[in-house]
Every structure is written in C-alpha cells, then in structure tokens.
Amino acid sequence: MDFSGVVLAGGTAVRMDGVDKASVELDGRTLLAHAIEAFLDADDVVVVAPTRVSTDRPVTFACEDPPRGGPVAGLLAGLDALPRRPRLLGVLAVDMPRVTATTMRRLREAAPGRDGAFLHDGDGRRQLAGVIDTARLADVRPGPEEQHGMSLRRLLAPLDLAEVPTDGDEAVDVDSWDDLRDLRPPPS
C-alpha cells in the first residue's frame, strides 16, 4: 500500500487545563484510539507525543526535539521515526475523533496527480487531517532550526493540495471541554 500515518498528539491543550488530549475519552475510547483507528489501512503509524501510552495497535512513539514544537516539527519527527519512508504520509491531529479510515481513504483517492490532499471544512478552512506525497514534502522540508513553531500553512503553501470537503462532523475538533460535551450523545 505504501501509506503510513502520523498522529500529532503533543499539543498543550490550554483550553482544557493542560490535560493530555490523547487520553481524553469519547464514546468509551481515548482520542488517541480514535486517531489510530483512522489509520486502519496504514502500513505503520507513529504517534508524536511527549508521553507513551499503551495502544491496541502496535505504533511507534516519537517526540520532536525539543517537545511541543508545533505541527510541522511533529509531522517531520513522525516521518523520521517511521521504519521506512512511505510514498504517501497521512497526518491527523489527535483531537479530531470523527476522522475515520473512510476519511483517510477519501483523502488518498483525491491525492493522485497532486502533492497531497487535506480536509476542508464548510468555511473552506484546511483541517489538520490530510495526506502528503513524501517526495514533495522532502522538497519543502525546512531545516531543523525553522521547524519549531512553523505553521503547517506555511510549510504546505508551495504544494498543490486537493481540497476534500468534510463529510458530516469530520472537521470537529476537541479544543475545549464544551467541544467534548457537544460530541457526546445526550444521556438517555
């Protein structure tokens, strides 16, 4: 298949009192379990986070150096931690629990002939869920001193990326306790 995934789980969760978002539960499973499941079709999965936890699926854990360097530093640390470089690399923020393996398949189907594909919400905003051709990523890869704090928008700006509209609530992310509450079904 030549597809691997990187789950970005190293954020600071300021609006959630600094809790480790990866360990937050939704629908009886952690946000990390949801994110790993989105890479059901991936050959390998790297979780970029400052801490390691047990997972149902074997994954590799990595951390950017220094930790909490933002999505670009995390993405590149995840890529470098893979046992072999895939042709196509998926990336997903741990706080997007409605992104599924079907979502990742749609992104991969939109990528041929382009440098990759990313989800875009109803307002046209790029979400932190996408796939990137690793050869093209190597072409735009910044040096180590530039990666920390670099925005993903800036990294991806030179790339030709397909815009894949979200389906349902795929673009919902859990940035606050209210967001998490809104994703849970009402009590019966």
Side-chain angles (χ1 to χ4, degrees), residues 31 56 61 70 75 78 80 91 105 107 114-115 132 143 146-147 159 161 167 170 174 182 188:
L31 293 183
D56 290 338
F61 280 89
L75 171 65
D80 292 345
V91 59
R105 286 181 202 122
L107 290 164
R114 311 287 290 272
D115 297 332
I132 308 168
E146 297 173 79
Q147 295 172 14
L159 301 181
L161 301 171
D167 183 17
E170 289 171 325
V174 178
D182 292 346
S188 48

Side-chain angles (χ1 to χ4, degrees), residues 10 48-50 62-70 72-74 77 144-145 147-149:
V48 180
C63 188
E64 66 274 38
D65 184 23
R68 305 206 189 284
V72 171
E145 64 286 344
Q147 295 172 14
H148 228 69

Side-chain angles (χ1 to χ4, degrees), residues 26-27 92 95-100 103 106 119-122 127 129 165-174 179-180 182-185:
L26 175 67
D27 303 332
L92 177 61
D95 64 358
M96 296 184 68
R98 298 303 189 221
V99 170
T100 66
T103 309
R106 286 191 358 258
L119 277 184
H120 282 251
D121 68 14
Q127 302 299 301
T166 55
D167 183 17
D169 56 2
E170 289 171 325
V172 172
D173 60 356
V174 178
D179 294 340
L180 183 65
D182 292 346
L183 277 173
R184 290 189 168 134

Side-chain angles (χ1 to χ4, degrees), residues 29-156:
R29 296 178 19 247
T30 65
L31 293 183
L32 180 58
H34 285 277
I36 292 170
E37 188 174 283
F39 288 114
L40 179 69
D41 300 333
D43 298 318
D44 297 293
V45 176
V46 173
V47 175
V48 180
T51 57
R52 298 169 190 256
V53 296
S54 64
T55 59
D56 290 338
R57 175 183 178 170
V59 299
T60 300
F61 280 89
C63 188
E64 66 274 38
D65 184 23
R68 305 206 189 284
V72 171
L75 171 65
L76 297 174
L79 174 63
D80 292 345
L82 285 166
R84 62 184 180 79
R85 183 144 307 187
R87 186 189 65 74
L88 202 59
L89 180 69
V91 59
L92 177 61
V94 76
D95 64 358
M96 296 184 68
R98 298 303 189 221
V99 170
T100 66
T102 301
T103 309
M104 285 293 160
R105 286 181 202 122
R106 286 191 358 258
L107 290 164
R108 289 196 322 273
E109 289 166 3
R114 311 287 290 272
D115 297 332
F118 273 76
L119 277 184
H120 282 251
D121 68 14
D123 295 327
R125 289 186 303 258
R126 182 185 299 146
Q127 302 299 301
L128 217 168
V131 297
I132 308 168
D133 180 295
T134 56
R136 288 295 292 132
L137 182 57
D139 292 341
V140 300
R141 184 180 181 137
E145 64 286 344
E146 297 173 79
Q147 295 172 14
H148 228 69
M150 178 185 239
S151 75
L152 194 61
R153 178 174 307 287
R154 182 171 155 220
L155 174 73
L156 300 178

